[in-house]
Amino acid sequence: PAYVIHADTRNRIWIGTISDGLQCYDLSHDTLYNWKFNENNSKSISFNVIRTLFIDHSENLWIGTDGGGVNKLNIKPERFPSFAPGVFIKCFYEDEQKRLWYGTHENGLFISDRAKKQTHHIFRKQQYGNIVSHIAPDVYGELLIGSDNGLEYYKLGRYTEIPMQPVVEKVRSNGIITHFINTFEKTTLVSTRLGLYEGRYLNNRLDTLKAIPELHTWILRIHQTQDGRIWVSTEGNSWV
């Protein structure tokens, strides 16, 4: 079983599995490769549970594990440099400055400036905000952070929270943001453990999130196909 599947530009399918490490299916040669953690090899992948994959502008593959931190795959020679050991990685994002962002489970947000070889760690002292599930721009290009503190703008080291509607007491503890997308219609759809929300913009910024009552369930991912249809993946592993 797989947590994540990602295609690259070289006709390969990368698969992050639930317990079997990293797999790669080479479509051109009809060959499946598999990399697993090896406690006797310090250059092996650091953990066999893989939550997220990301390919950056240089076509490096970044691997987010569920407890082994971040790995970067170097094919030749084959090795997996590891970063943030022991951390549960939930998502990746690369900004215009080629910095790599990665959100974690309960360890906040990391911003890695690879050119300067510096990494900035943002850990919030408040009760919520350190489970970071998704990072991406909004419709107008401003950076959004989805976490257990809801959906927030991030700029110059500061967060600006976007209120959810309707307001309920459990919106933070159970309403963790899991994913969001910008649609072809220039709106933003946001998935949470409480269901699906539609973002409402005011003066080119998301102002509120309005619940879509037909989808009041735990939603993991959202995808819009080329024909405009919206698909959502629920906790039961089904797409609707």
Side-chain angles (χ1 to χ4, degrees), residues 62 70 82-85 87 89 92 98-104 107-123 154:
W62 296 85
V70 177
S82 182
F83 310 88
V87 174
I89 306 299
F92 288 108
K98 311 303 181 187
R99 296 176 300 182
L100 185 70
W101 302 54
Y102 41 100
T104 74
N107 278 281
L109 178 66
F110 290 82
I111 307 172
S112 176
D113 189 327
R114 289 161 287 173
K116 297 180 179 179
K117 297 182 179 181
Q118 297 176 346
T119 299
H120 182 46
H121 182 200
I122 301 172
F123 184 84
Y154 181 86

mmCIF file of all heavy atoms in Angstrom, residues 62 70 82-85 87 89 92 98-104 107-123 154:
data_model
loop_
_atom_site.group_PDB
_atom_site.id
_atom_site.type_symbol
_atom_site.label_atom_id
_atom_site.label_comp_id
_atom_site.label_asym_id
_atom_site.label_seq_id
_atom_site.Cartn_x
_atom_site.Cartn_y
_atom_site.Cartn_z
ATOM 1 N N TRP A 62 12.970 14.631 -2.890
ATOM 2 C CA TRP A 62 12.951 14.802 -1.448
ATOM 3 C C TRP A 62 11.888 13.888 -0.861
ATOM 4 O O TRP A 62 10.772 13.804 -1.369
ATOM 5 C CB TRP A 62 12.679 16.253 -1.076
ATOM 6 C CG TRP A 62 13.771 17.168 -1.532
ATOM 7 C CD1 TRP A 62 13.897 17.747 -2.760
ATOM 8 C CD2 TRP A 62 14.917 17.583 -0.787
ATOM 9 N NE1 TRP A 62 15.045 18.501 -2.823
ATOM 10 C CE2 TRP A 62 15.693 18.428 -1.623
ATOM 11 C CE3 TRP A 62 15.357 17.343 0.516
ATOM 12 C CZ2 TRP A 62 16.876 19.011 -1.200
ATOM 13 C CZ3 TRP A 62 16.541 17.932 0.938
ATOM 14 C CH2 TRP A 62 17.288 18.754 0.089
ATOM 15 N N VAL A 70 13.803 13.949 6.912
ATOM 16 C CA VAL A 70 13.829 14.196 5.472
ATOM 17 C C VAL A 70 15.013 13.474 4.847
ATOM 18 O O VAL A 70 16.121 13.501 5.385
ATOM 19 C CB VAL A 70 13.941 15.704 5.169
ATOM 20 C CG1 VAL A 70 14.039 15.958 3.674
ATOM 21 C CG2 VAL A 70 12.764 16.455 5.757
ATOM 22 N N SER A 82 20.321 12.514 5.177
ATOM 23 C CA SER A 82 19.151 12.673 6.051
ATOM 24 C C SER A 82 19.198 14.003 6.786
ATOM 25 O O SER A 82 20.271 14.480 7.177
ATOM 26 C CB SER A 82 19.103 11.520 7.056
ATOM 27 O OG SER A 82 17.973 11.616 7.881
ATOM 28 N N PHE A 83 18.022 14.622 6.955
ATOM 29 C CA PHE A 83 17.883 15.896 7.646
ATOM 30 C C PHE A 83 16.746 15.776 8.666
ATOM 31 O O PHE A 83 15.802 15.013 8.459
ATOM 32 C CB PHE A 83 17.577 17.024 6.658
ATOM 33 C CG PHE A 83 18.498 17.072 5.471
ATOM 34 C CD1 PHE A 83 18.214 16.340 4.326
ATOM 35 C CD2 PHE A 83 19.656 17.828 5.495
ATOM 36 C CE1 PHE A 83 19.054 16.376 3.222
ATOM 37 C CE2 PHE A 83 20.506 17.870 4.397
ATOM 38 C CZ PHE A 83 20.200 17.138 3.258
ATOM 39 N N ALA A 84 16.836 16.542 9.740
ATOM 40 C CA ALA A 84 15.801 16.541 10.784
ATOM 41 C C ALA A 84 15.479 15.128 11.249
ATOM 42 O O ALA A 84 14.331 14.677 11.184
ATOM 43 C CB ALA A 84 14.536 17.235 10.276
ATOM 44 N N PRO A 85 16.473 14.383 11.737
ATOM 45 C CA PRO A 85 16.225 12.992 12.144
ATOM 46 C C PRO A 85 15.187 12.905 13.265
ATOM 47 O O PRO A 85 15.137 13.739 14.159
ATOM 48 C CB PRO A 85 17.605 12.526 12.627
ATOM 49 C CG PRO A 85 18.352 13.779 12.958
ATOM 50 C CD PRO A 85 17.851 14.807 12.002
ATOM 51 N N VAL A 87 12.028 13.289 12.974
ATOM 52 C CA VAL A 87 10.876 14.159 12.757
ATOM 53 C C VAL A 87 9.909 13.510 11.764
ATOM 54 O O VAL A 87 10.323 12.899 10.788
ATOM 55 C CB VAL A 87 11.333 15.541 12.233
ATOM 56 C CG1 VAL A 87 10.143 16.409 11.862
ATOM 57 C CG2 VAL A 87 12.189 16.232 13.290
ATOM 58 N N ILE A 89 7.524 14.009 8.805
ATOM 59 C CA ILE A 89 7.371 14.997 7.737
ATOM 60 C C ILE A 89 6.017 14.818 7.059
ATOM 61 O O ILE A 89 5.635 13.711 6.692
ATOM 62 C CB ILE A 89 8.493 14.854 6.689
ATOM 63 C CG1 ILE A 89 9.873 14.904 7.370
ATOM 64 C CG2 ILE A 89 8.366 15.951 5.629
ATOM 65 C CD1 ILE A 89 10.168 16.188 8.104
ATOM 66 N N PHE A 92 6.003 19.187 1.572
ATOM 67 C CA PHE A 92 7.122 19.971 1.058
ATOM 68 C C PHE A 92 6.592 21.123 0.210
ATOM 69 O O PHE A 92 5.491 21.067 -0.345
ATOM 70 C CB PHE A 92 8.031 19.113 0.172
ATOM 71 C CG PHE A 92 8.864 18.100 0.888
ATOM 72 C CD1 PHE A 92 8.565 16.748 0.780
ATOM 73 C CD2 PHE A 92 9.945 18.482 1.658
ATOM 74 C CE1 PHE A 92 9.333 15.795 1.411
ATOM 75 C CE2 PHE A 92 10.721 17.540 2.308
ATOM 76 C CZ PHE A 92 10.412 16.187 2.182
ATOM 77 N N LYS A 98 14.085 29.273 -4.262
ATOM 78 C CA LYS A 98 14.586 27.896 -4.269
ATOM 79 C C LYS A 98 14.816 27.361 -2.861
ATOM 80 O O LYS A 98 15.555 26.390 -2.676
ATOM 81 C CB LYS A 98 15.875 27.759 -5.095
ATOM 82 C CG LYS A 98 15.803 28.392 -6.473
ATOM 83 C CD LYS A 98 14.653 27.828 -7.307
ATOM 84 C CE LYS A 98 14.621 28.446 -8.684
ATOM 85 N NZ LYS A 98 13.425 28.052 -9.473
ATOM 86 N N ARG A 99 14.186 27.975 -1.876
ATOM 87 C CA ARG A 99 14.252 27.433 -0.525
ATOM 88 C C ARG A 99 13.251 26.291 -0.396
ATOM 89 O O ARG A 99 12.150 26.359 -0.932
ATOM 90 C CB ARG A 99 13.949 28.509 0.513
ATOM 91 C CG ARG A 99 14.970 29.636 0.546
ATOM 92 C CD ARG A 99 14.573 30.716 1.510
ATOM 93 N NE ARG A 99 13.279 31.306 1.156
ATOM 94 C CZ ARG A 99 12.709 32.308 1.810
ATOM 95 N NH1 ARG A 99 13.311 32.830 2.860
ATOM 96 N NH2 ARG A 99 11.541 32.790 1.413
ATOM 97 N N LEU A 100 13.640 25.262 0.337
ATOM 98 C CA LEU A 100 12.764 24.124 0.540
ATOM 99 C C LEU A 100 12.098 24.231 1.913
ATOM 100 O O LEU A 100 12.773 24.345 2.941
ATOM 101 C CB LEU A 100 13.559 22.818 0.459
ATOM 102 C CG LEU A 100 12.726 21.545 0.537
ATOM 103 C CD1 LEU A 100 11.903 21.376 -0.734
ATOM 104 C CD2 LEU A 100 13.613 20.327 0.755
ATOM 105 N N TRP A 101 10.769 24.225 1.901
ATOM 106 C CA TRP A 101 9.986 24.258 3.122
ATOM 107 C C TRP A 101 9.478 22.852 3.397
ATOM 108 O O TRP A 101 9.069 22.140 2.479
ATOM 109 C CB TRP A 101 8.780 25.187 2.969
ATOM 110 C CG TRP A 101 9.075 26.612 2.624
ATOM 111 C CD1 TRP A 101 9.815 27.073 1.573
ATOM 112 C CD2 TRP A 101 8.611 27.769 3.305
ATOM 113 N NE1 TRP A 101 9.844 28.446 1.561
ATOM 114 C CE2 TRP A 101 9.104 28.901 2.616
ATOM 115 C CE3 TRP A 101 7.802 27.964 4.438
ATOM 116 C CZ2 TRP A 101 8.835 30.201 3.011
ATOM 117 C CZ3 TRP A 101 7.526 29.252 4.841
ATOM 118 C CH2 TRP A 101 8.046 30.369 4.142
ATOM 119 N N TYR A 102 9.468 22.452 4.678
ATOM 120 C CA TYR A 102 8.798 21.203 4.999
ATOM 121 C C TYR A 102 8.058 21.322 6.322
ATOM 122 O O TYR A 102 8.560 21.816 7.310
ATOM 123 C CB TYR A 102 9.712 19.976 4.965
ATOM 124 C CG TYR A 102 11.100 20.097 5.549
ATOM 125 C CD1 TYR A 102 11.386 19.619 6.816
ATOM 126 C CD2 TYR A 102 12.143 20.638 4.792
ATOM 127 C CE1 TYR A 102 12.674 19.676 7.332
ATOM 128 C CE2 TYR A 102 13.427 20.711 5.294
ATOM 129 C CZ TYR A 102 13.686 20.223 6.576
ATOM 130 O OH TYR A 102 14.958 20.289 7.076
ATOM 131 N N GLY A 103 6.798 20.895 6.247
ATOM 132 C CA GLY A 103 5.934 20.904 7.414
ATOM 133 C C GLY A 103 6.004 19.569 8.126
ATOM 134 O O GLY A 103 6.193 18.522 7.506
ATOM 135 N N THR A 104 5.843 19.587 9.436
ATOM 136 C CA THR A 104 6.017 18.386 10.242
ATOM 137 C C THR A 104 4.799 18.122 11.118
ATOM 138 O O THR A 104 3.903 18.961 11.236
ATOM 139 C CB THR A 104 7.241 18.520 11.168
ATOM 140 O OG1 THR A 104 6.916 19.412 12.250
ATOM 141 C CG2 THR A 104 8.449 19.055 10.418
ATOM 142 N N ASN A 107 6.248 19.304 15.090
ATOM 143 C CA ASN A 107 7.556 19.952 15.183
ATOM 144 C C ASN A 107 7.624 21.232 14.367
ATOM 145 O O ASN A 107 8.710 21.734 14.079
ATOM 146 C CB ASN A 107 8.660 18.988 14.747
ATOM 147 C CG ASN A 107 9.068 18.039 15.851
ATOM 148 O OD1 ASN A 107 9.818 18.395 16.756
ATOM 149 N ND2 ASN A 107 8.542 16.825 15.804
ATOM 150 N N GLY A 108 6.480 21.739 13.968
ATOM 151 C CA GLY A 108 6.447 23.029 13.301
ATOM 152 C C GLY A 108 6.899 22.991 11.860
ATOM 153 O O GLY A 108 6.720 22.009 11.138
ATOM 154 N N LEU A 109 7.578 24.073 11.459
ATOM 155 C CA LEU A 109 7.929 24.326 10.067
ATOM 156 C C LEU A 109 9.432 24.538 9.938
ATOM 157 O O LEU A 109 10.042 25.227 10.754
ATOM 158 C CB LEU A 109 7.182 25.577 9.588
ATOM 159 C CG LEU A 109 7.406 26.077 8.170
ATOM 160 C CD1 LEU A 109 6.866 25.070 7.162
ATOM 161 C CD2 LEU A 109 6.721 27.431 7.988
ATOM 162 N N PHE A 110 10.028 23.937 8.905
ATOM 163 C CA PHE A 110 11.441 24.140 8.594
ATOM 164 C C PHE A 110 11.553 24.828 7.238
ATOM 165 O O PHE A 110 10.829 24.482 6.295
ATOM 166 C CB PHE A 110 12.190 22.808 8.541
ATOM 167 C CG PHE A 110 12.372 22.134 9.870
ATOM 168 C CD1 PHE A 110 11.356 21.371 10.424
ATOM 169 C CD2 PHE A 110 13.569 22.255 10.561
ATOM 170 C CE1 PHE A 110 11.522 20.732 11.642
ATOM 171 C CE2 PHE A 110 13.745 21.624 11.789
ATOM 172 C CZ PHE A 110 12.716 20.863 12.329
ATOM 173 N N ILE A 111 12.480 25.794 7.124
ATOM 174 C CA ILE A 111 12.763 26.464 5.857
ATOM 175 C C ILE A 111 14.252 26.315 5.594
ATOM 176 O O ILE A 111 15.086 26.845 6.324
ATOM 177 C CB ILE A 111 12.377 27.957 5.896
ATOM 178 C CG1 ILE A 111 10.919 28.130 6.354
ATOM 179 C CG2 ILE A 111 12.585 28.589 4.532
ATOM 180 C CD1 ILE A 111 10.532 29.573 6.594
ATOM 181 N N SER A 112 14.593 25.580 4.532
ATOM 182 C CA SER A 112 15.984 25.268 4.234
ATOM 183 C C SER A 112 16.465 26.091 3.049
ATOM 184 O O SER A 112 15.967 25.945 1.933
ATOM 185 C CB SER A 112 16.130 23.768 3.933
ATOM 186 O OG SER A 112 17.457 23.463 3.555
ATOM 187 N N ASP A 113 17.442 26.967 3.305
ATOM 188 C CA ASP A 113 18.094 27.735 2.248
ATOM 189 C C ASP A 113 19.339 26.960 1.843
ATOM 190 O O ASP A 113 20.387 27.056 2.481
ATOM 191 C CB ASP A 113 18.458 29.132 2.749
ATOM 192 C CG ASP A 113 18.935 30.048 1.630
ATOM 193 O OD1 ASP A 113 19.556 29.541 0.678
ATOM 194 O OD2 ASP A 113 18.683 31.260 1.713
ATOM 195 N N ARG A 114 19.220 26.176 0.768
ATOM 196 C CA ARG A 114 20.317 25.283 0.397
ATOM 197 C C ARG A 114 21.519 26.032 -0.147
ATOM 198 O O ARG A 114 22.648 25.570 -0.011
ATOM 199 C CB ARG A 114 19.798 24.255 -0.610
ATOM 200 C CG ARG A 114 18.850 23.232 0.029
ATOM 201 C CD ARG A 114 17.996 22.533 -0.996
ATOM 202 N NE ARG A 114 16.964 23.432 -1.524
ATOM 203 C CZ ARG A 114 16.171 23.105 -2.544
ATOM 204 N NH1 ARG A 114 16.301 21.953 -3.141
ATOM 205 N NH2 ARG A 114 15.250 23.950 -2.952
ATOM 206 N N ALA A 115 21.304 27.208 -0.741
ATOM 207 C CA ALA A 115 22.425 27.994 -1.255
ATOM 208 C C ALA A 115 23.308 28.498 -0.113
ATOM 209 O O ALA A 115 24.532 28.500 -0.214
ATOM 210 C CB ALA A 115 21.906 29.164 -2.085
ATOM 211 N N LYS A 116 22.669 28.919 0.978
ATOM 212 C CA LYS A 116 23.405 29.425 2.140
ATOM 213 C C LYS A 116 23.711 28.335 3.157
ATOM 214 O O LYS A 116 24.377 28.587 4.160
ATOM 215 C CB LYS A 116 22.605 30.538 2.815
ATOM 216 C CG LYS A 116 22.389 31.766 1.943
ATOM 217 C CD LYS A 116 21.597 32.823 2.692
ATOM 218 C CE LYS A 116 21.389 34.061 1.838
ATOM 219 N NZ LYS A 116 20.588 35.094 2.566
ATOM 220 N N LYS A 117 23.190 27.132 2.907
ATOM 221 C CA LYS A 117 23.352 25.996 3.820
ATOM 222 C C LYS A 117 22.863 26.352 5.214
ATOM 223 O O LYS A 117 23.510 26.059 6.225
ATOM 224 C CB LYS A 117 24.808 25.533 3.837
ATOM 225 C CG LYS A 117 25.299 25.020 2.489
ATOM 226 C CD LYS A 117 26.726 24.521 2.555
ATOM 227 C CE LYS A 117 27.163 23.985 1.187
ATOM 228 N NZ LYS A 117 28.562 23.464 1.217
ATOM 229 N N GLN A 118 21.696 26.983 5.241
ATOM 230 C CA GLN A 118 21.083 27.372 6.513
ATOM 231 C C GLN A 118 19.653 26.843 6.563
ATOM 232 O O GLN A 118 18.951 26.814 5.551
ATOM 233 C CB GLN A 118 21.063 28.891 6.669
ATOM 234 C CG GLN A 118 22.441 29.531 6.726
ATOM 235 C CD GLN A 118 22.362 31.050 6.787
ATOM 236 O OE1 GLN A 118 21.319 31.644 6.537
ATOM 237 N NE2 GLN A 118 23.481 31.686 7.109
ATOM 238 N N THR A 119 19.218 26.439 7.755
ATOM 239 C CA THR A 119 17.850 25.978 7.956
ATOM 240 C C THR A 119 17.235 26.725 9.129
ATOM 241 O O THR A 119 17.825 26.781 10.214
ATOM 242 C CB THR A 119 17.796 24.469 8.221
ATOM 243 O OG1 THR A 119 18.324 23.774 7.089
ATOM 244 C CG2 THR A 119 16.371 24.008 8.461
ATOM 245 N N HIS A 120 16.075 27.310 8.896
ATOM 246 C CA HIS A 120 15.345 28.053 9.917
ATOM 247 C C HIS A 120 14.195 27.187 10.414
ATOM 248 O O HIS A 120 13.401 26.678 9.629
ATOM 249 C CB HIS A 120 14.811 29.356 9.330
ATOM 250 C CG HIS A 120 14.081 30.214 10.299
ATOM 251 N ND1 HIS A 120 14.548 30.492 11.574
ATOM 252 C CD2 HIS A 120 12.889 30.856 10.202
ATOM 253 C CE1 HIS A 120 13.697 31.271 12.197
ATOM 254 N NE2 HIS A 120 12.672 31.491 11.384
ATOM 255 N N HIS A 121 14.110 27.017 11.721
ATOM 256 C CA HIS A 121 13.064 26.196 12.330
ATOM 257 C C HIS A 121 12.063 27.104 13.046
ATOM 258 O O HIS A 121 12.441 27.901 13.898
ATOM 259 C CB HIS A 121 13.675 25.207 13.323
ATOM 260 C CG HIS A 121 12.677 24.293 13.951
ATOM 261 N ND1 HIS A 121 12.925 23.621 15.132
ATOM 262 C CD2 HIS A 121 11.411 23.931 13.573
ATOM 263 C CE1 HIS A 121 11.869 22.873 15.446
ATOM 264 N NE2 HIS A 121 10.945 23.053 14.522
ATOM 265 N N ILE A 122 10.789 26.989 12.674
ATOM 266 C CA ILE A 122 9.740 27.782 13.307
ATOM 267 C C ILE A 122 8.881 26.845 14.155
ATOM 268 O O ILE A 122 8.168 25.985 13.629
ATOM 269 C CB ILE A 122 8.860 28.484 12.254
ATOM 270 C CG1 ILE A 122 9.718 29.400 11.389
ATOM 271 C CG2 ILE A 122 7.744 29.272 12.925
ATOM 272 C CD1 ILE A 122 8.979 29.983 10.208
ATOM 273 N N PHE A 123 8.993 26.996 15.455
ATOM 274 C CA PHE A 123 8.191 26.203 16.393
ATOM 275 C C PHE A 123 7.378 27.162 17.244
ATOM 276 O O PHE A 123 7.923 28.037 17.917
ATOM 277 C CB PHE A 123 9.081 25.336 17.280
ATOM 278 C CG PHE A 123 8.310 24.428 18.189
ATOM 279 C CD1 PHE A 123 7.849 23.202 17.731
ATOM 280 C CD2 PHE A 123 8.033 24.793 19.495
ATOM 281 C CE1 PHE A 123 7.132 22.355 18.565
ATOM 282 C CE2 PHE A 123 7.313 23.962 20.338
ATOM 283 C CZ PHE A 123 6.863 22.731 19.860
ATOM 284 N N TYR A 154 1.454 33.441 5.587
ATOM 285 C CA TYR A 154 2.780 33.562 6.191
ATOM 286 C C TYR A 154 3.604 34.530 5.357
ATOM 287 O O TYR A 154 3.769 34.353 4.150
ATOM 288 C CB TYR A 154 3.495 32.213 6.234
ATOM 289 C CG TYR A 154 4.855 32.287 6.879
ATOM 290 C CD1 TYR A 154 5.001 32.170 8.257
ATOM 291 C CD2 TYR A 154 5.999 32.509 6.115
ATOM 292 C CE1 TYR A 154 6.246 32.244 8.853
ATOM 293 C CE2 TYR A 154 7.249 32.590 6.700
ATOM 294 C CZ TYR A 154 7.367 32.459 8.073
ATOM 295 O OH TYR A 154 8.605 32.552 8.657
#
